[in-house]
Amino acid sequence: MAEGKRRDDYTIEMGERNGSHFEPPKISRPPVPPIASATNNPILPVLSYCGSSILMTVLNKFVLSGDFNLNFFLLAIQGIVCVVAIQTCKSMGVLKYRDFNSDEAKKWFPVSLLMVGMIYTGTKAIQFLSIPVYTIFKNLTIIITAYGEVLWFGGSVTRMTLFSFGLIVLSSIVAAWADIQHALQNYGHSSTETSTKISTLNAGYMWMLLNCFCTSSYVLGMRKRIKLTNFKDFDTMFYNNFLTIPILIVASLLLENWSSDNINKNFPLEQRNTIFFAMFVTGIGAICISYTSAWCVRVTSSTTYSMVGALNKIPIAVSGLVFFDAPVTLPSVSAIVIGSISGIVYAIAKMKASQPKTVGLPTSNPLISASSQSARDSLKS
């Protein structure tokens, strides 16, 4: 009885014979849920990543425009919003990352200090420069980071990479020249407004150069430290933001002006709610960029993600022309085009360098010396 039941439980559908042909059994597959098919569509993560980058850049520029000078406070608010948001997502089971550990925090603290330098100099640079110029000059970080990897990690620079570096430098020179020419044409060569405008641009270039060095130091330092902690993406986000919050709050209280006049100057009554809302959204935007970048790599590939990162500079630069009063001239547009091409060339160079070198079978007999041939003949005899 038990044996008969066991045979019934393990019956296998073998199909049916139709004349001389054998028809295999039809296998019914469960339908793919529409949500899963949508999240696996490569177009959605690419558009989400591009949209998050544009939103973050435009809102930062909006908050930092005008007379805003509480940069440390802005970064502290962004860090607090980011930590609260990802901790809420963790408690809901949406995200997973490690709990806080004091030993890991000590190992990661130098990286957080480098991050403070990177994000602060970045806010100062975008405060003085237009979004297209800021985006173009940001490419200089690639050159510094690449040679840092050569010195500290034994990396290499190919000819195509060097060519992309030349395009990056050329685009930065064209962008700076376009900015200075626009200031001279609008305000004249000897006016006080021209001197003020050029001084502002020079301050922006100085902060941008510092930002490039700070960003490269942060990237290289994080690469070294991440081997000690084995952090994942959201582990890095949590520790970076959690450890930088007290530094940013102390720096804001000690170094920034918290008088009532300066507060009213930074947060005008008619724009106060809008500015606070933009600060909140930029904190959420940091999470969106991290999540969408990981989503883009998972659904597409690292190659596609590199190309998206290179092409993403075009809509970000265009957003500065659309939403702000960035000058639209032939040199400025040329700088955007050259900068975008340099990013694409660099992404292609990195892809080729990461491909494994294949060794093919020999198609002809190799040339050998006469002494080697005589030794080979003696072994045969």
Side-chain angles (χ1 to χ4, degrees), residues 209-340:
L209 185 62
L210 284 175
N211 178 253
C212 291
F213 279 103
C214 290
T215 304
S216 298
S217 301
Y218 167 73
V219 171
L220 296 171
M222 182 173 62
R223 181 176 172 182
K224 275 195 169 184
R225 287 285 170 175
I226 208 165
K227 295 178 180 179
L228 298 176
T229 57
N230 197 25
F231 277 175
K232 304 301 181 184
D233 289 338
F234 285 103
D235 298 327
T236 303
M237 181 188 294
F238 171 71
Y239 274 89
N240 271 338
N241 287 280
F242 189 79
L243 294 177
T244 54
I245 288 172
I247 302 172
L248 294 169
I249 291 176
V250 171
S252 179
L253 293 175
L254 294 179
L255 302 177
E256 293 179 335
N257 183 6
W258 282 96
S259 64
S260 59
D261 292 338
N262 193 54
I263 292 174
N264 292 328
K265 180 181 176 182
N266 282 271
F267 304 103
L269 190 60
E270 62 275 7
Q271 289 185 328
R272 187 167 296 174
N273 294 332
T274 305
I275 292 174
F276 276 118
F277 178 74
M279 293 169 69
F280 171 79
V281 174
T282 52
I284 299 296
I287 306 173
C288 293
I289 290 176
S290 297
Y291 179 77
T292 53
S293 60
W295 184 18
C296 190
V297 172
R298 177 177 59 82
V299 174
T300 59
S301 65
S302 57
T303 302
T304 305
Y305 176 70
S306 300
M307 293 303 297
V308 170
L311 294 171
N312 193 33
K313 293 178 174 58
I314 299 176
I316 292 177
V318 171
S319 67
L321 303 177
V322 173
F323 295 107
F324 299 95
D325 58 347
V328 183
T329 60
L330 180 61
S332 64
V333 175
S334 301
I336 294 173
V337 173
I338 297 172
S340 303

Side-chain angles (χ1 to χ4, degrees), residues 56 346 354:
M56 186 79 172
Y346 178 76
S354 62

Side-chain angles (χ1 to χ4, degrees), residues 90-254:
K90 182 183 179 181
S91 63
M92 295 171 61
V94 178
L95 301 178
K96 291 182 180 179
Y97 58 88
R98 305 181 190 184
D99 294 328
F100 181 80
N101 183 282
S102 58
D103 293 333
E104 291 179 338
K106 290 177 183 177
K107 293 177 182 177
W108 197 256
F109 186 72
V111 179
S112 297
L113 281 178
L114 293 174
M115 182 182 171
V116 171
M118 177 187 71
I119 57 179
Y120 179 75
T121 55
T123 59
K124 297 298 289 186
I126 201 172
Q127 191 168 11
F128 291 110
L129 298 176
S130 63
I131 290 179
V133 175
Y134 172 81
T135 306
I136 293 167
F137 269 79
K138 194 72 176 176
N139 283 340
L140 292 173
T141 307
I142 297 174
I143 303 177
I144 302 171
T145 306
Y147 282 103
E149 289 181 344
V150 170
L151 292 175
W152 292 335
F153 299 102
S156 60
V157 177
T158 62
R159 291 182 179 178
M160 181 175 282
T161 306
L162 283 175
F163 177 65
S164 70
F165 291 170
L167 291 176
I168 289 172
V169 173
L170 177 62
S171 65
S172 302
I173 294 173
V174 173
W177 177 73
D179 260 4
I180 295 173
Q181 285 295 113
H182 182 263
L184 293 175
Q185 289 175 2
N186 279 13
Y187 304 109
H189 289 264
S190 58
S191 65
T192 306
E193 293 179 346
T194 304
S195 301
T196 304
K197 181 65 176 178
I198 292 179
S199 299
T200 303
L201 292 175
N202 290 334
Y205 300 146
M206 181 197 70
W207 283 112
M208 193 71 246
L209 185 62
L210 284 175
N211 178 253
C212 291
F213 279 103
C214 290
T215 304
S216 298
S217 301
Y218 167 73
V219 171
L220 296 171
M222 182 173 62
R223 181 176 172 182
K224 275 195 169 184
R225 287 285 170 175
I226 208 165
K227 295 178 180 179
L228 298 176
T229 57
N230 197 25
F231 277 175
K232 304 301 181 184
D233 289 338
F234 285 103
D235 298 327
T236 303
M237 181 188 294
F238 171 71
Y239 274 89
N240 271 338
N241 287 280
F242 189 79
L243 294 177
T244 54
I245 288 172
I247 302 172
L248 294 169
I249 291 176
V250 171
S252 179
L253 293 175
L254 294 179

Side-chain angles (χ1 to χ4, degrees), residues 66-81:
D67 298 323
F68 193 89
N69 54 29
L70 299 176
N71 297 49
F72 282 120
F73 175 70
L74 167 65
L75 296 173
I77 294 296
Q78 290 177 351
I80 292 170
V81 170

Side-chain angles (χ1 to χ4, degrees), residues 44-66:
L44 188 58
V46 168
L47 293 178
S48 301
Y49 173 70
C50 295
S52 301
S53 302
I54 295 172
L55 180 67
M56 186 79 172
T57 306
V58 170
L59 288 180
N60 271 331
K61 180 64 177 177
F62 168 74
V63 174
L64 293 166
S65 297

Side-chain angles (χ1 to χ4, degrees), residues 27-38:
I27 301 173
S28 60
R29 293 183 175 88
V32 179
I35 298 177
S37 61

